[in-house]
Amino acid sequence: MNKVVVRIQGSEYNIVSGKNPEQIKTVARYVDDEMKKVKDGNPKLNSVTTSIVACLNIADVLFDCSNENEELQNEIEELKNVNNQPNEEVNTEINSINDELEQKELEIIEKDYHMEEMSLKLKEKDDEIENLSKVAEELRLELGKYKAEINALREEANEASERARIAEGMSSQWQNKTYDLQLKYTQLESKLKSRECSL
């Protein structure tokens, strides 16, 4: 088994496969190119949607290759039926078709590999989204607690302001009464001195 590190959309992946390392890298580059085409076509797409669209494009090519492969197989069968002992020209054509079939089979294998990689990446994104949703819910609950605490503090502040206002009013009344008493005391003291002088 060969272990190859490939890079897709800026992320590195360790691939273990019995295939040739260069072939694995070629497949990874193809997937990366497909995702880049989708992203360039619509930069607003998030990574999950980009991966899905790229998977659909690759699957479309895979189906096209599969259909072409079936058509080529039918052509081979037709050629075999035309002449059980094909001449040199037919042999050449058959060899060419067989070569093309082998190439298409390789492409199908590559597409299968792309699909598997995309499925893994989509699962990773789904896990990330689920984790982010949990974090968001925790933050929402924490925010609710903070809002309740803030409201409680506001009520306490309002009550304290009201008590301060009442205390300020009482203090003003006390000062006025003190002033009146001092004034009366001064008047009484003056009257007292006047009487003493008269005596």
Side-chain angles (χ1 to χ4, degrees), residues 161-194:
S161 296
E162 181 63 19
R163 288 197 297 270
R165 187 186 65 77
I166 293 172
E168 185 177 351
M170 293 176 66
S171 175
S172 178
Q173 291 176 2
W174 181 81
Q175 287 177 352
N176 290 336
K177 288 181 179 179
T178 302
Y179 177 78
D180 290 342
L181 288 173
Q182 286 178 342
L183 187 62
K184 288 179 181 179
Y185 176 77
T186 303
Q187 290 173 350
L188 287 172
E189 191 176 41
S190 295
K191 287 180 181 180
L192 207 75
K193 285 181 180 179
S194 296

Side-chain angles (χ1 to χ4, degrees), residues 11 13 48 117-131:
S11 298
Y13 299 91
V48 174
E117 285 295 312
M118 288 297 132
S119 296
L120 290 173
K121 190 165 185 179
L122 283 174
K123 185 180 183 305
E124 290 176 359
K125 295 301 179 183
D126 288 340
D127 291 341
E128 289 179 11
I129 291 172
E130 185 178 354
N131 291 333

